[in-house]
Amino acid sequence: MFKKKPQIKNLSPLRSSDRRKLADQIIAEYSVHIPTLEEIDSTAAATAAESQSQSQSQPPPPSNPNQPTPALSSIRTSLVPETCLSARFTTHSGASLTLVSGTVYVGAHPGQEERILWIQYGNGKESRLYPTVYTLWHNPGLTPLLHSQDFVVEKLRTGADLMTPGLVGGPPWPEGAKVGSVVAVAGLERPSVPVWVGTCKIDVSSLGRVQGAKGAAVEGIHWEGDEIWSWSQFGNGGRAGPESIEGWDMTPHAGIEAGMEGLDLEDNEEEDDDEGQNGGVALGDGAANGESNANGHGHGHGPAGAPEAETEQEREPTTAEVDDAFMQAFLYALYDAKKNADPPHHGLDYPIQPSFLISNMIQPHLRVQNQHYTIKKTSWKNTKKFIKHLEKQVLVKSKDRNGGETVILDMDLDDERVRIFTPYRLPKPKVQTSTSTGPGADANNQTPASTGDTSLGQKLALQTVYRASGKLVPDLIPSKTTYYTASQISAFLKKYIENNPSLTDKSSSPRFVKLDPFIANNVLGSNPSAADTRVLAAGEISRDALVKRILEDSHLAIPHWLLLRNEQTYDPDSPDSSLKPKSGPAPQVSIVLEKRSGTKVVTKISGLEVFGINPQVLAPELQKKCAGSASVGQHVGGKPGMMEILVQGDQRDVVEKELSRRGIDKRWITVDDKTKKKKK
């Protein structure tokens, strides 16, 4: 619903009485349980009952409704903080862009900045309150929690509804997930962290198996990454969710653990997976491989010279073994840096991001590299806790940034454990079983050594090819289904002139050709211009002008484009089936500079995906290079799934430099500076 930025009017504070009414309305609508005295302290309840029995002759003191119990007061404050503000908003929703208006409630939880916590829209009595993810992260169990695969959740972030086959973890399903009820959705990677909010279109609680079912189950309202999530009074973008949240009732979803076992889920937040971006994920491959290896019937993926790696792959390691492998890999990375790079930083660019630590330091130095050796299989479960452990071991110095991210500021390469470290044999890179021509695959079809930014260092080339219209076939060009280069079309024209000597007889110059009925009618007669009229009157045209006339007329030669990666070539005589020309103008990366909140300048970057650049991976790099915040959201006006990076300040030079490192030529970049005053 909030893919496009809503218009939010001035905020105004809520009165205490209105805040209590709002909180009580939420408690009633969402059936929030208020603990009784017995549930809080059974001994205190018994003492109170005994005291009441001893003083039955005395009348009870009058109750004061304005003095709530401590439990009720605490729940009210958690749902609607005391400093809550409200404002009216308008936005456009749905495929028909229906105008929607309502109210947003803004508040700050302890130690955090103000965020939109509740959304209310609708007409009169039909209006209802929807929690944002910030509210759900602080109020576990507020709504029923559904689950879906992580690649499905990424599709939901583009504004799609959750289809029934996308549900995982049941039956049974949460009892509260009935028609019209508000539910939250989490991915399997972080099953206790809601990232999407919607309303049930069907009775999910009564569903059986969902495989093969059709239709939408939940309609999306709000999600982590939309404009409501990104809003803040200081314009510094949204705040990422935690790795896990205690308190969400996971017992109804016993099937989730089984579902996670069946998925080959690596550390996706640190990978640039083209297959995942396109909405396709191989389910169960990792489990299937694991089973075949365990039974002794599968083929080992390791090199022939590393039988010990194959032996390790035959069984699933213990958590302690994975922990030790990660620690040894980290020491190996420090050993390599100290040995192969010069001081003082030994080739390390601080601060080091969590994704860089895993993809460029840990993964390449793991003794065994398979689906069992990931951060999720360690006792730390996520990169932040792993960094904190390294800090306790006095190996690194870290710092927590806004949004919960932890970065490494320094590493101790002179530590005794690094000095006496003994290198071990590393497995060779795995060879892919299928041909890959996408970003990150080299000429030998090998996976990259790291799982970081695979677009770095890629070589790209844009080539234009043409498909001839029926007006030129077969007299000039042999086929209208084949794609030809400009040089081939020029060669066809040269051959046509050679086969018709009358075209060059009595011409004013060897560079000119006389007009025949074919050239006059089929070429110049197609979409004629004033220049064509002059040429027809003269009765001749230069060879170069004739070639240019054919190539620039889309009614004669329909342009298509190809993006060639890493020394790929396109041969029209024997085209590669994996290279399919696409119609329309060649793609470009768009850089837009505009003002926000009066004088603040921001840089927006879009159109990256077609060049194999993952905005989710590039954004943290730009944040580090630009020393400012960078957020990723749906590209306004773009196709669903096309993302846009927003960076604070005029960062066009930094962005162009980073794009150049990823194979983007300056000719493929358009810069639109909207901060300049338009000339009258």
Side-chain angles (χ1 to χ4, degrees):
M1 176 175 171
F2 293 100
K3 290 191 294 183
K4 293 188 176 182
K5 191 173 183 179
Q7 298 295 324
I8 299 178
K9 297 184 179 180
N10 294 334
L11 294 167
S12 58
L14 277 181
R15 295 182 298 179
S16 298
S17 58
D18 291 336
R19 186 185 71 84
R20 288 194 298 269
K21 288 180 181 178
L22 178 64
D24 291 341
Q25 180 184 346
I26 294 169
I27 292 171
E29 286 186 13
Y30 288 88
S31 302
V32 179
H33 174 65
I34 307 299
T36 62
L37 184 59
E38 290 80 359
E39 292 173 335
I40 298 174
D41 189 347
S42 57
T43 58
T47 303
E50 182 180 353
S51 175
Q52 183 178 1
S53 62
Q54 292 177 358
S55 58
Q56 288 182 350
S57 58
Q58 299 179 0
S63 60
N64 187 353
N66 294 325
Q67 293 181 354
T69 63
L72 176 57
S73 179
S74 176
I75 291 175
R76 283 175 173 172
T77 303
S78 179
L79 295 171
V80 186
E82 294 181 354
T83 57
C84 188
L85 308 170
S86 68
R88 297 289 295 174
F89 77 88
T90 56
T91 189
H92 291 84
S93 176
S96 59
L97 295 179
T98 304
L99 184 64
V100 174
S101 61
T103 305
V104 291
Y105 295 95
V106 177
H109 289 106
Q112 297 176 356
E113 64 178 359
E114 291 178 334
R115 295 290 179 181
I116 296 177
L117 304 180
W118 292 92
I119 310 161
Q120 184 176 28
Y121 79 95
N123 298 321
K125 295 182 179 179
E126 298 297 325
S127 65
R128 62 187 308 180
L129 287 154
Y130 296 91
T132 67
V133 291
Y134 296 114
T135 294
L136 295 179
W137 294 343
H138 284 83
N139 296 273
L142 182 64
T143 66
L145 183 61
L146 304 176
H147 292 84
S148 187
Q149 293 95 339
D150 290 289
F151 73 90
V152 175
V153 173
E154 290 304 313
K155 294 295 182 183
L156 297 181
R157 294 176 191 268
T158 66
D161 292 340
L162 176 59
M163 308 305 285
T164 303
L167 295 166
V168 298
W173 310 97
E175 294 181 1
K178 299 184 181 296
V179 178
S181 62
V182 180
V183 296
V185 176
L188 297 183
E189 187 177 355
R190 296 185 296 167
S192 62
V193 182
V195 295
W196 194 82
V197 181
T199 55
C200 289
K201 301 182 71 174
I202 62 173
D203 189 355
V204 176
S205 62
S206 62
L207 289 176
R209 290 179 58 85
V210 296
Q211 286 75 11
K214 295 182 179 180
V218 187
E219 180 182 9
I221 299 294
H222 154 71
W223 53 88
E224 181 186 25
D226 69 2
E227 291 292 343
I228 289 293
W229 170 84
S230 301
W231 181 93
S232 73
Q233 293 208 60
F234 304 102
N236 52 3
R239 176 168 54 84
E243 292 293 329
S244 63
I245 302 175
E246 296 182 2
W248 282 99
D249 183 13
M250 305 296 290
T251 53
H253 313 290
I256 290 178
E257 185 174 352
M260 294 180 70
E261 292 291 336
L263 294 175
D264 185 14
L265 292 178
E266 298 293 334
D267 200 7
N268 290 333
E269 65 184 358
E270 287 123 10
E271 293 184 357
D272 182 13
D273 188 350
D274 282 344
E275 192 172 0
Q277 290 178 21
N278 294 332
V281 172
L283 302 181
D285 291 345
N289 291 338
E291 290 173 4
S292 62
N293 288 339
N295 295 329
H297 303 301
H299 298 285
H301 297 293
E308 67 279 2
E310 292 187 15
T311 304
E312 287 291 331
Q313 288 183 348
E314 292 179 359
R315 66 176 183 86
E316 183 173 352
T318 63
T319 302
E321 289 174 329
V322 181
D323 285 355
D324 180 68
F326 266 63
M327 285 299 301
Q328 292 298 315
F330 180 72
L331 294 174
Y332 202 156
L334 297 188
Y335 175 86
D336 264 356
K338 184 174 183 179
K339 179 180 178 182
N340 300 321
D342 297 328
H345 297 302
H346 297 279
L348 298 172
D349 188 11
Y350 297 103
I352 292 177
Q353 306 288 331
S355 58
F356 182 89
L357 171 68
I358 296 297
S359 61
N360 292 66
M361 299 184 70
I362 300 299
Q363 291 290 350
H365 295 92
L366 284 173
R367 189 191 303 268
V368 181
Q369 297 177 2
N370 60 28
Q371 69 271 20
H372 299 306
Y373 286 82
T374 65
I375 191 68
K376 303 274 187 305
K377 298 288 186 178
T378 65
S379 60
W380 306 293
K381 301 300 181 185
N382 59 65
T383 311
K384 179 176 182 177
K385 292 182 179 179
F386 178 52
I387 294 176
K388 293 299 183 183
H389 173 77
L390 295 176
E391 189 167 32
K392 290 181 180 179
Q393 296 291 317
V394 200
L395 286 169
V396 305
K397 185 177 181 181
S398 68
K399 179 182 179 181
D400 293 338
R401 285 184 169 179
N402 293 335
E405 182 186 51
T406 301
V407 297
I408 297 177
L409 301 179
D410 196 13
M411 296 183 178
D412 187 4
L413 277 69
D414 296 323
D415 188 276
E416 180 69 12
R417 288 164 289 186
V418 179
R419 190 181 64 80
I420 65 174
F421 180 80
T422 303
Y424 46 79
R425 186 176 182 179
L426 295 173
K428 295 180 180 179
K430 300 177 184 178
V431 178
Q432 294 178 337
T433 56
S434 61
T435 303
S436 173
T437 57
D442 60 18
N444 297 322
N445 289 329
Q446 292 182 342
T447 56
S450 69
T451 56
D453 191 348
T454 56
S455 63
L456 273 174
Q458 66 179 348
K459 296 180 180 179
L460 303 177
L462 275 175
Q463 182 174 348
T464 302
V465 292
Y466 301 89
R467 192 177 67 187
S469 72
K471 296 180 180 180
L472 304 181
V473 178
D475 299 84
L476 180 62
I477 297 176
S479 171
K480 65 178 182 180
T481 58
T482 305
Y483 298 93
Y484 300 101
T485 62
S487 59
Q488 284 182 307
I489 293 178
S490 178
F492 288 140
L493 181 61
K494 181 179 179 181
K495 186 176 181 181
Y496 176 81
I497 295 172
E498 291 175 352
N499 293 337
N500 295 273
S502 61
L503 297 178
T504 55
D505 291 345
K506 299 180 181 180
S507 61
S508 60
S509 169
R511 295 188 301 108
F512 281 75
V513 296
K514 301 292 287 184
L515 302 183
D516 65 356
F518 171 76
I519 297 177
N521 297 327
N522 291 34
V523 177
L524 299 179
S526 171
N527 194 26
S529 63
D532 295 332
T533 304
R534 290 193 295 270
V535 170
L536 290 170
E540 63 179 7
I541 186 174
S542 70
R543 300 181 184 223
D544 293 340
L546 184 57
V547 173
K548 185 178 180 182
R549 175 68 177 81
I550 294 173
L551 294 178
E552 291 184 351
D553 190 346
S554 60
H555 294 84
L556 297 175
I558 306 168
H560 290 67
W561 59 271
L562 283 167
L563 184 64
L564 306 177
R565 306 176 189 273
N566 302 325
E567 309 297 338
Q568 280 181 310
T569 57
Y570 179 76
D571 185 2
D573 297 326
S574 56
D576 188 344
S577 59
S578 63
L579 294 175
K580 186 176 181 180
K582 298 181 180 180
S583 61
Q588 291 186 318
V589 176
S590 173
I591 299 176
V592 179
L593 306 175
E594 64 181 25
K595 289 185 178 181
R596 293 276 182 93
S597 302
T599 59
K600 183 179 293 185
V601 178
V602 296
T603 305
K604 299 193 298 185
I605 310 102
S606 59
L608 299 168
E609 290 88 348
V610 69
F611 295 101
I613 301 175
N614 188 346
Q616 301 285 359
V617 177
L618 178 60
E621 185 70 14
L622 291 178
Q623 179 172 324
K624 182 173 65 174
K625 297 289 185 180
C626 302
S629 65
S631 60
V632 181
Q634 171 69 32
H635 174 40
V636 178
K639 295 181 179 179
M642 302 297 288
M643 308 305 287
E644 177 182 76
I645 301 176
L646 188 146
V647 188
Q648 300 296 327
D650 182 352
Q651 308 292 352
R652 71 183 92 182
D653 294 336
V654 177
V655 173
E656 288 182 359
K657 182 178 179 181
E658 289 302 310
L659 292 178
S660 175
R661 295 177 60 203
R662 290 158 176 82
I664 306 297
D665 192 284
K666 278 192 174 183
R667 296 172 298 173
W668 311 340
I669 301 175
T670 61
V671 179
D672 183 9
D673 189 352
K674 295 183 178 180
T675 62
K676 294 182 178 179
K677 294 182 179 180
K678 295 183 180 180
K679 295 182 180 179
K680 296 182 180 180

